[in-house]
Amino acid sequence: MRPPPVRLSNVVTDSFFSVFRFLARTGLEVEGRTLETPPLEVQEKLRRFAHGRGTPEERASICDLLRTRPDWLKWMVEIVRQNRAASAVR
């Protein structure tokens, strides 16, 4: 059974919306090779991106980074899942 469609507010940036479109297409099931943990400084950038924070330049940088390191996308998907789960509890 597919999860309900993600509802986004008007404040979500285009780059963040791209991640959600990807998640919607995959039904939140992203599979691949073993998950490699990004370096700590990259983890912080991905967390900020997942929370919708950062300047447009920072968000563009993260999008470029994920294009070159698609293996880190699954790590970021886990952050998004955690955010959604935390929001559902509130």
Side-chain angles (χ1 to χ4, degrees):
M1 182 176 200
R2 292 187 65 98
V6 177
R7 299 209 187 335
L8 303 173
S9 70
N10 292 334
V11 297
V12 176
T13 64
D14 288 340
S15 55
F16 198 61
F17 183 66
S18 296
V19 173
F20 275 106
R21 280 188 292 163
F22 171 79
L23 294 174
R25 283 195 317 268
T26 61
L28 296 176
E29 295 301 323
V30 179
E31 295 183 22
R33 294 173 288 190
T34 305
L35 181 61
E36 178 184 329
T37 303
L40 292 176
E41 67 274 4
V42 174
Q43 290 180 27
E44 182 56 34
K45 290 178 183 180
L46 292 173
R47 280 189 190 96
R48 289 177 50 78
F49 184 87
H51 286 84
R53 298 184 190 123
T55 66
E57 294 80 16
E58 290 171 327
R59 292 190 303 265
S61 172
I62 290 297
C63 288
D64 290 340
L65 177 65
L66 291 173
R67 281 186 203 98
T68 61
R69 292 299 308 257
D71 54 316
W72 289 345
L73 184 59
K74 186 170 182 176
W75 194 88
M76 193 171 131
V77 166
E78 290 303 320
I79 296 171
V80 172
R81 284 181 178 165
Q82 292 170 6
N83 291 346
R84 289 182 72 196
S87 294
V89 172
R90 293 182 199 165

